[in-house]
Amino acid sequence: REENISWAALRDKGASQVLLLVRRTSNMSDRIGFDVCPECGWCLQGESVGRQATATHNRLMDRRTPCTGRVEKRSLWHLFRTNALELIPSPGIAGTADIRQWLITLKNALCRTAEIMINAAEGELDGFVSNNSLVIFDNVDGGVGYTRQVLNRIGEIEREMALNVLSCDCETGCPKCIFSSRRKMDVIRGDVNKKLIIPLCQSIIRASMPSRPLPSPVQKKESAFEALGAGIVQGNISCWVYRVND
C-alpha cells in the first residue's frame, strides 16, 4: 500500500527484516564493533579506542602475564522481523539543508509525535536513513502494527508534529518537542536540528489549517525542563544502526 501527502510518498514495506548493530561511543563519537582479544577477553576501552589492533596487553585475568592473543574486531547484532514504513520525501523539500540531517531530525519529530498519538511506549517506533529516504519500523520483535497506524493517520500525525515543533520555544530541539531518551545518540552526534524542518512544518500548517495563524513562539531563556533534557543526552552510551531487508 502507498499513501501520498503533499511533501512525501509513504510506502508500507510490510513484514521486513531489520538488522541492528551495536555501536560504541567514545568522546562523543561512535564506531561499529569492539576491539577484543579472543584469547583472554581483553578489550580496548576509553582513550585506547581506535589504536592499532595489534596493541600489546596483559591477560585479562592475570594482569602480570603478557597475552599472545591478537586483538580482533567483533560486532554485536540482532536480526529480527518487524513492520516497516518507507517515507520518500519530494525532491527539493529539504531546501539547502543536508538531506541526511534533515531526515534524522524529521525521524525524531515524527516518531515522538506518533508514539504519543498511537499510544506506543517511548522507543517502540524508530527509524534510519536509507538512500535519501526514511525507514520507520516497529522497534518490537515481530512487529505490532504501529507503522500501519502511522500510515493510516499520517495526516493527523503530521499536523500534530508541525504544531509541536512550531509552538515550542526551544531553538534547536528539546524533550518537549523532538528529543527522546531512546534516540539520544542522534542528538549526541549533532544530527538533530529543529530549524531544518521548520519550513516543512509551516507548509503543513498552511496546507491543512489555512485559517489558523502560524505559531510564533517567543525565544526564552533555557528552562529547567530543557536543562534536564540537555543532561539526559550527555555521556558515553550504546546506540543502534540499522539495515532493513524486504
Side-chain angles (χ1 to χ4, degrees):
R1 177 191 165 186
E2 293 190 14
E3 186 79 24
N4 292 314
I5 51 180
S6 61
W7 53 276
L10 289 88
R11 181 181 304 148
D12 186 357
K13 296 182 73 68
S16 305
Q17 285 188 330
V18 175
L19 175 68
L20 288 81
L21 295 175
V22 179
R23 298 177 76 108
R24 68 178 301 169
T25 62
S26 176
N27 294 331
M28 308 304 282
S29 62
D30 62 282
R31 65 187 70 245
I32 295 176
F34 300 81
D35 299 308
V36 181
C37 172
E39 182 77 20
C40 69
W42 180 83
C43 179
L44 287 170
Q45 299 181 22
E47 298 299 326
S48 299
V49 173
R51 288 183 184 174
Q52 192 174 0
T54 56
T56 58
H57 60 279
N58 293 336
R59 297 186 67 84
L60 183 64
M61 303 303 292
D62 182 6
R63 298 301 179 90
R64 297 182 180 180
T65 304
C67 179
T68 58
R70 181 182 178 86
V71 175
E72 299 177 358
K73 182 77 71 176
R74 299 292 175 89
S75 295
L76 301 177
W77 56 273
H78 172 55
L79 180 66
F80 69 104
R81 200 159 185 82
T82 188
N83 298 320
L85 170 70
E86 184 178 17
L87 186 152
I88 307 167
S90 302
I93 191 66
T96 58
D98 175 75
I99 186 62
R100 180 179 176 276
Q101 187 180 16
W102 187 88
L103 285 169
I104 292 175
T105 302
L106 177 66
K107 176 196 78 174
N108 280 267
L110 194 61
C111 285
R112 183 194 178 279
T113 301
E115 284 171 346
I116 295 172
M117 295 188 67
I118 64 177
N119 295 319
E122 186 178 13
E124 287 190 336
L125 274 176
D126 210 337
F128 59 93
V129 176
S130 175
N131 298 324
N132 292 337
S133 67
L134 177 62
V135 177
I136 296 175
F137 62 91
D138 293 359
N139 197 13
V140 180
D141 205 344
V144 290
Y146 288 144
T147 55
R148 291 194 178 96
Q149 292 187 57
V150 172
L151 185 61
N152 292 335
R153 302 179 60 186
I154 187 61
E156 302 171 60
I157 292 171
E158 67 168 351
R159 284 193 297 272
E160 190 64 25
M161 176 195 74
L163 289 172
N164 287 341
V165 170
L166 295 176
S167 61
C168 185
D169 56 26
C170 69
E171 185 174 354
T172 58
C174 71
K176 185 179 175 183
C177 63
I178 292 183
F179 293 171
S180 165
S181 61
R182 296 294 299 272
R183 292 179 288 272
K184 54 189 168 185
M185 273 310 305
D186 291 338
V187 181
I188 289 177
R189 291 196 296 263
D191 288 333
V192 179
N193 185 350
K194 187 180 80 170
K195 293 178 180 178
L196 300 181
I197 61 171
I198 284 179
L200 170 66
C201 293
Q202 290 173 336
S203 67
I204 290 173
I205 297 301
R206 289 192 186 102
S208 61
M209 308 170 71
S211 61
R212 176 169 181 159
L214 292 174
S216 54
V218 177
Q219 296 296 323
K220 300 191 303 184
K221 293 183 179 179
E222 182 185 66
S223 66
F225 183 66
E226 289 165 359
L228 174 63
I232 289 174
V233 299
Q234 293 177 356
N236 292 342
I237 56 176
S238 297
C239 66
W240 306 100
V241 293
Y242 312 93
R243 188 183 73 198
V244 62
N245 295 323
D246 295 335

